Amino acid sequence: MIDFHCHLDLYPKPNEVLTTLKRNKCFVLSVTTTPMAWEGTSQLVQGIKGVHMAIGLHPELAASRHKEVDRVCELLHMTRYVGEIGVDGTQRHKGSLDIQVSIFERIIDESERLGGRILSIHSRGATELVLDILKRRVRNSIPVLHWFSGSIKEAAVATDLGCWFSVGPTMLKTKKGQALAATMPIDRVLTETDGPFTSNACGPLLPWHTLIAEESLALIWKRSCEYIQEQLTQNLIDIAGEGIS
Ligand code: MN
């Protein structure tokens, strides 16, 4: 089971989630929304095999927390995972677009300076802009477009740029999400939940609910669930250098 984009620190009871994770074979990339959250919660997962924390500054917080980009850059040498970063171009956050872009570019540039990082990227309502920034600035890092919501054409552009994609149950429930996933390169896709910001009837999606995304991918790509699981595990080894343990 692989959850390449969730927010462990934002679940109502993170320790309960971690207890279950410890008992199961999994790989979880927990992204954070501020450097303070990363500093405060990194200890939470220390020593838990397969659970990693990414440092980020969420684009939706750019307007109010932009000064914290300095701290992100100071801490970047301590982790190979960066996120949640990116740009949100929807109505609600359009007003801070310039500042969002400058934060995103600065974190990418610092990641590049350090030899490259794995980047979990938010691009809602700003696909073209994000892809343009990646094209101009990324050489060593690996961009993983989380919950990609651009067009089929933009997905092809992203693929040509070398981007990876992380897809979750909520995205794959929609016709558009399914159509996008069908065009994504099977060897550059990982699963995610974006929990606790996504939910089902029982509550927020938990990392092991990526099983639902695996089942969707099996249908979309017309392969068995076992095949999908093996493919995703191989993808994880390719990007992270470690499997599921
Ligand atoms: Mn997220």
Side-chain angles (χ1 to χ4, degrees):
M1 185 275 306
I2 301 163
D3 188 349
F4 214 75
H5 182 114
C6 66
H7 301 257
L8 278 183
D9 58 319
L10 300 180
Y11 283 98
K13 292 178 180 160
N15 280 316
E16 285 184 10
V17 183
L18 285 169
T19 303
T20 309
L21 287 175
K22 276 184 216 164
R23 286 200 304 258
N24 293 285
K25 288 189 173 194
C26 61
F27 180 100
V28 175
L29 180 61
S30 177
V31 297
T32 51
T33 52
T34 68
M36 220 192 277
W38 184 82
E39 289 181 275
T41 55
S42 295
Q43 295 98 314
L44 210 69
V45 303
Q46 223 144 56
I48 305 179
K49 246 184 135 195
V51 184
H52 303 270
M53 278 280 191
I55 185 165
L57 185 52
H58 199 291
E60 291 176 14
L61 301 177
S64 55
R65 319 273 303 239
H66 61 274
K67 288 193 182 122
E68 296 180 36
V69 69
D70 292 334
R71 190 69 187 139
V72 175
C73 291
E74 272 168 37
L75 295 168
L76 265 184
H77 70 279
M78 295 177 72
T79 172
R80 40 191 309 238
Y81 297 103
V82 180
E84 181 161 354
I85 57 169
V87 182
D88 191 300
T90 56
Q91 201 54 38
R92 201 159 154 223
H93 301 284
K94 251 185 180 163
S96 64
L97 211 60
D98 289 349
I99 194 130
Q100 290 185 48
V101 167
S102 74
I103 290 172
F104 185 45
E105 291 183 335
R106 180 125 179 257
I107 295 174
I108 290 176
D109 291 351
E110 185 63 11
S111 298
E112 289 293 307
R113 202 182 65 78
L114 293 170
R117 292 288 182 268
I118 295 170
L119 315 171
S120 187
I121 297 173
H122 174 116
S123 57
R124 186 172 56 201
T127 312
E128 207 184 328
L129 182 55
V130 165
L131 294 181
D132 187 52
I133 292 169
L134 296 177
K135 186 179 179 179
R136 285 186 285 108
R137 301 180 111 87
V138 170
R139 296 293 173 266
N140 306 309
S141 298
I142 306 175
V144 183
L145 299 172
H146 126 76
W147 200 336
F148 185 80
S149 57
S151 65
I152 300 271
K153 216 172 151 189
E154 286 165 334
V157 173
T159 301
D160 287 344
L161 284 176
C163 292
W164 286 58
F165 301 90
S166 56
V167 301
T170 312
M171 169 182 171
L172 296 174
K173 241 184 354 204
T174 67
K175 283 266 172 281
K176 184 187 173 184
Q178 291 162 11
L180 281 167
T183 71
M184 290 172 183
I186 191 165
D187 58 350
R188 270 195 262 147
V189 171
L190 294 160
T191 46
E192 65 161 44
T193 60
D194 204 15
F197 295 116
T198 52
S199 49
N200 62 16
C202 305
L205 289 187
L206 291 150
W208 44 93
H209 289 132
T210 50
L211 185 64
I212 306 164
E214 290 176 6
E215 288 164 358
S216 300
L217 288 174
L219 289 172
I220 294 164
W221 289 337
K222 301 185 176 64
R223 308 280 164 94
S224 68
C225 279
E226 293 72 33
Y227 186 98
I228 296 296
Q229 275 168 1
E230 274 174 34
Q231 179 69 54
L232 292 171
T233 304
Q234 185 56 52
N235 295 352
L236 180 67
I237 293 169
D238 290 346
I239 195 171
E242 67 175 290
I244 300 170
S245 51

